[in-house]
C-alpha cells in the first residue's frame, strides 16, 4: 500500500474517532482502538500523567455526554506520519463541553494489525 493510501486510511480512523466522540457512538469509538490500547492524560496544572485503560476512557467520554448536551472534540489541525506498520498522528483540537471550550493536543500511535489501522496509544493534554 502506498504512503498516501496509508495516510488516507489512518485519517479515516481518526475521522471515525472524532465522529464517535461527537455523536457518542460507543461501538464505533471502541472499533477505532486496539482492545489493549492505553490512554495517557497529561495534567498541565498538576504536572502529572494519568494512565487509563480503554474501558476507563470510554467511561469518561460517556460521562461527559451524560453531563452536557454536547461534548465534542473539534480537530483544528491533523498531521499524519507513517513508518511501515506504524502511524503517528497529531491532532490539535478544541474540546467543547456545554458552554466551555478547552484547547488541547492528541498524539495517537496506530498499528496496522490484521489488515486494519487501530489506535494502540493516545497521549493528550487538555
Amino acid at each position: 500500500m502506498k504512503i498516501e493510501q496509508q495516510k488516507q486510511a489512518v485519517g479515516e480512523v481518526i475521522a471515525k474517532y472524532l465522529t464517535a466522540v461527537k455523536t457518542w457512538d460507543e461501538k464505533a469509538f471502541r472499533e477505532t482502538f486496539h482492545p489493549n490500547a492505553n490512554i495517557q492524560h497529561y495534567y498541565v496544572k498538576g504536572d502529572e500523567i494519568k494512565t487509563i485503560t480503554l474501558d476507563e476512557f470510554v467511561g469518561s467520554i460517556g460521562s461527559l455526554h451524560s453531563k452536557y448536551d454536547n461534548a465534542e472534540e473539534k480537530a483544528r489541525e491533523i498531521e499524519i506520519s507513517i513508518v511501515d506498520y506504524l502511524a503517528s498522528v497529531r491532532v490539535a483540537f478544541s474540546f467543547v463541553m456545554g458552554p466551555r471550550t478547552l484547547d488541547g493536543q492528541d498524539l495517537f500511535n496506530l498499528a496496522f494489525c490484521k489488515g486494519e489501522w487501530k489506535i494502540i496509544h493516545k497521549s493528550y493534554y487538555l
Side-chain angles (χ1 to χ4, degrees):
M1 188 184 293
K2 292 184 179 172
I3 208 93
E4 288 308 314
Q5 291 172 312
Q6 290 176 320
K7 283 185 175 183
Q8 182 178 348
V10 167
E12 288 169 5
V13 172
I14 299 303
K16 181 177 178 176
Y17 165 88
L18 293 168
T19 299
V21 170
K22 178 181 179 176
T23 61
W24 194 229
D25 181 340
E26 183 180 333
K27 181 179 181 292
F29 184 81
R30 284 182 180 275
E31 287 171 356
T32 64
F33 285 90
H34 185 277
N36 294 330
N38 65 43
I39 293 86
Q40 290 185 307
H41 181 177
Y42 173 66
Y43 291 89
V44 177
K45 286 183 182 174
D47 194 23
E48 291 182 65
I49 297 170
K50 180 179 180 186
T51 303
I52 59 174
T53 65
L54 178 57
D55 286 340
E56 289 170 316
F57 191 49
V58 166
S60 75
I61 300 295
S63 72
L64 291 175
H65 279 277
S66 297
K67 188 174 180 180
Y68 301 106
D69 289 337
N70 60 328
E72 178 182 1
E73 183 175 334
K74 294 182 178 183
R76 295 189 318 270
E77 184 181 13
I78 299 174
E79 292 177 3
I80 300 171
S81 299
I82 305 288
V83 180
D84 298 324
Y85 300 97
L86 299 174
S88 176
V89 182
R90 183 185 70 83
V91 179
F93 66 87
S94 296
F95 202 96
V96 179
M97 295 174 280
R100 296 174 45 204
T101 301
L102 301 171
D103 290 334
Q105 299 262 349
D106 282 328
L107 296 174
F108 292 98
N109 290 313
L110 291 83
F112 193 71
C113 278
K114 298 179 177 40
E116 294 183 296
W117 285 101
K118 295 287 185 179
I119 299 167
I120 58 173
H121 178 79
K122 173 184 165 152
S123 296
Y124 71 102
Y125 75 84
L126 187 59

